[in-house]
Amino acid sequence: LTVRSLPREEAVALDRVDPLREFRERFVLDDGLVYLDGNSLGALPRSTLERLREVAEDQWGSRIVRAWEDGWLELPLAVGDRLAAGALGAAPGQVVVGDSTTVCFYKLASAALDARPGRTEIVTDLGNFPTDRYVLEGLARARGLEVVWLRGDPCAGPGVEEVAHLVSGRTALVTFSHVSYRSAHIAEMAQINAVASRAGALTLWDLSHSAGSVPLALDEDRCDLAVGCTYKYLHGGPGAPAYMYVRRELQSELRQPIWGWLGRRDPFEMAEGYMAAPGVRGLLSGTPPVLSLAAVDEGVRIVAQAGLDRVRAKGVALTEFAVRLVDERLSGFGVSIASPRDPLRRGAHVALGHASAQRLCTALIDRGVVVDFRRPDVIRFGLAPLTTRFVDVWDGVEALARLLGEGATGS
Ligand SMILES: Cc1ncc(COP(=O)(O)O)c(C=O)c1O
């Protein structure tokens, strides 16, 4: 087990020819740190520091309230359009950046249910991210609807056939994560959209683990609705605002439930009664988080510069490298790959299964290898393509091999 079949030099060589290698320099990252948790929080771009300074000092500091008229009110739409073009495969006028992912998800799920009166079911899977599941449970409770759970294998689903089996004329909404937060499985978005659409249901996708890591084609794939966070692969910063996508044809039909002044037509009229602003502006509720939007804009700019095709190619190469190393170095210690083995069906992280995952995860972090643990038995190696080197993958697997070799499983 201690035979090292794949030397570290191979990782060094892969880094040397990596077309995105100079991107890592654009981020604040300690060279000694093995950061494999970009799927939780992406690293800080150096240019974001300058951008935040500029917005704070030159705009807030000098223009104070007048800066709202200099363009701050347009930021949710402007950043949305740049995100749409750079990472979502969506034409302009269909994306806004606004509230937290949870709130965005609530707004769009609620709007979708309102648009399908008389239908009583919401289809999702148990592998969906907890906040999505809880929001759906809350909506179902408040409206007397039923959540129909798909309980498949997290490495294989949600599969098109399974979804087709659950969707019917009773279904109002079909909603999944595009890339699973746990297994990194990539769902077949276009086919699931087609299944839902044939049944007259709307689709809502959570793109939190997709945008900035795998190419998306929301328009071409006929997505109805989507949300996603910006603090992972889009490097927008802790708690950065999320985005909402509503396909253009649906915009006049859908009404989100939080009727705030900045989603109203002519908000500064301060008039009686709510009338939604046309287009995606009507998805907004309150005052936009300007500093955070500037940080999201900067992260999106860097991802767009790298280009999603190159980002994806690197993500596939990194996860393939990780899978190969884990098979060679760790399978003898009882570590399994808890992600799809087909790279085309796998996002930018690799889930490793082990009975002592929690203890191992803590020990890895103590040794400067930052990964995360997902109950009950998964360690995620998040391989954010712009900031992860092949040597980081090698060092991370090696550190885990050493721990296992030392018997650090606690069992
Ligand atoms: C798929 C998915 N949805 C939603 C969230 C979190 O939602 P919020 O940004 O509201 O905390 C996460 C966080 O990791 C996530 O992975």
Side-chain angles (χ1 to χ4, degrees):
L1 281 175
T2 50
V3 178
R4 196 166 301 150
S5 42
L6 206 72
R8 192 172 191 272
E9 290 70 50
E10 188 162 329
V12 173
L14 286 169
D15 282 326
R16 213 175 287 128
V17 297
D18 168 16
L20 295 177
R21 69 189 170 282
E22 91 280 7
F23 273 84
R24 186 183 155 93
E25 300 303 313
R26 302 197 195 182
F27 292 84
V28 178
L29 270 173
D30 180 348
D31 252 352
L33 185 72
V34 179
Y35 190 66
L36 302 178
D37 208 9
N39 53 325
S40 278
L41 181 60
L44 165 64
R46 292 183 192 281
S47 55
T48 299
L49 288 169
E50 176 52 26
R51 181 79 179 266
L52 287 173
R53 193 211 54 76
E54 179 197 316
V55 177
E57 246 175 65
D58 304 349
Q59 299 179 21
W60 179 19
S62 90
R63 296 280 297 151
I64 327 180
V65 76
R66 292 164 296 175
W68 284 111
E69 280 148 37
D70 300 345
W72 281 354
L73 280 172
E74 299 310 312
L75 274 177
L77 286 88
V79 178
D81 278 349
R82 289 196 274 276
L83 170 62
L88 304 184
Q94 301 178 104
V95 176
V96 278
V97 184
D99 310 288
S100 70
T101 323
T102 305
V103 172
C104 290
F105 187 81
Y106 172 82
K107 284 173 149 183
L108 293 193
S110 175
L113 296 174
D114 282 342
R116 290 292 177 273
R119 292 189 175 224
T120 54
E121 293 178 357
I122 301 167
V123 172
T124 191
D125 66 338
L126 272 182
N128 210 344
F129 191 78
T131 211
D132 302 35
R133 291 189 271 116
Y134 304 153
V135 165
L136 295 172
E137 285 170 359
L139 282 166
R141 163 87 66 94
R143 292 160 179 253
L145 306 177
E146 188 190 341
V147 181
V148 177
W149 296 103
L150 196 161
R151 297 162 193 271
D153 168 3
C155 281
V160 181
E161 301 283 295
E162 294 170 306
V163 176
H165 193 66
L166 296 180
V167 170
S168 73
R170 292 186 299 279
T171 313
L173 177 64
V174 176
T175 178
F176 297 108
S177 289
H178 176 240
V179 172
S180 156
Y181 80 98
R182 194 178 167 84
S183 73
H185 175 270
I186 303 179
E188 296 188 73
M189 183 183 265
Q191 276 125 297
I192 291 176
N193 287 337
V195 164
S197 163
R198 272 198 297 277
L202 291 166
T203 51
L204 167 56
W205 291 94
D206 186 330
L207 308 176
S208 296
H209 287 268
S210 315
S213 77
V214 299
L216 290 160
L218 299 189
D219 289 351
E220 199 181 309
D221 287 349
R222 305 287 300 159
C223 281
D224 293 324
L225 311 165
V227 299
C229 78
T230 58
Y231 45 74
K232 302 179 191 293
Y233 300 100
L234 295 170
H235 301 276
Y243 53 89
M244 289 170 268
Y245 163 91
V246 176
R247 184 153 60 82
R248 187 178 297 285
E249 298 92 302
L250 292 170
Q251 288 174 10
S252 55
E253 182 191 340
L254 292 194
R255 278 291 155 267
Q256 60 88 6
I258 304 177
W259 293 5
W261 69 312
L262 288 181
R264 191 193 186 277
R265 194 180 292 260
D266 304 324
F268 294 98
E269 298 270 303
M270 312 269 171
E272 265 185 45
Y274 182 81
M275 290 185 313
V280 285
R281 192 181 286 281
L283 298 174
L284 298 176
S285 298
T287 305
V290 171
L291 292 171
S292 302
L293 278 162
V296 172
D297 202 20
E298 200 50 40
V300 166
R301 194 178 66 81
I302 295 171
V303 169
Q305 266 178 14
L308 256 300
D309 288 342
R310 290 200 300 172
V311 166
R312 175 61 175 153
K314 171 119 182 250
V316 167
L318 284 167
T319 57
E320 282 288 84
F321 191 60
V323 167
R324 197 170 134 207
L325 285 174
V326 169
D327 281 344
E328 285 179 8
R329 298 279 289 127
L330 304 178
S331 56
F333 292 113
V335 175
S336 61
I337 299 289
S339 289
R341 282 191 171 266
D342 176 0
L344 299 180
R345 297 255 64 83
R346 185 176 64 224
H349 72 266
V350 176
L352 308 185
H354 192 281
S356 302
Q358 184 161 26
R359 207 181 298 261
L360 289 166
C361 182
T362 308
L364 280 174
I365 294 170
D366 285 348
R367 295 181 182 202
V369 178
V370 182
V371 291
D372 66 20
F373 165 67
R374 286 295 170 264
R375 270 175 209 291
D377 58 358
V378 158
I379 300 173
R380 294 188 307 180
F381 271 37
L383 311 178
L386 295 185
T387 51
T388 309
R389 300 166 298 195
F390 289 88
V391 287
D392 295 324
V393 178
W394 197 94
D395 290 346
V397 172
E398 184 61 20
L400 189 49
R402 286 227 186 94
L403 281 171
L404 289 159
E406 289 162 13
T409 56
S411 51

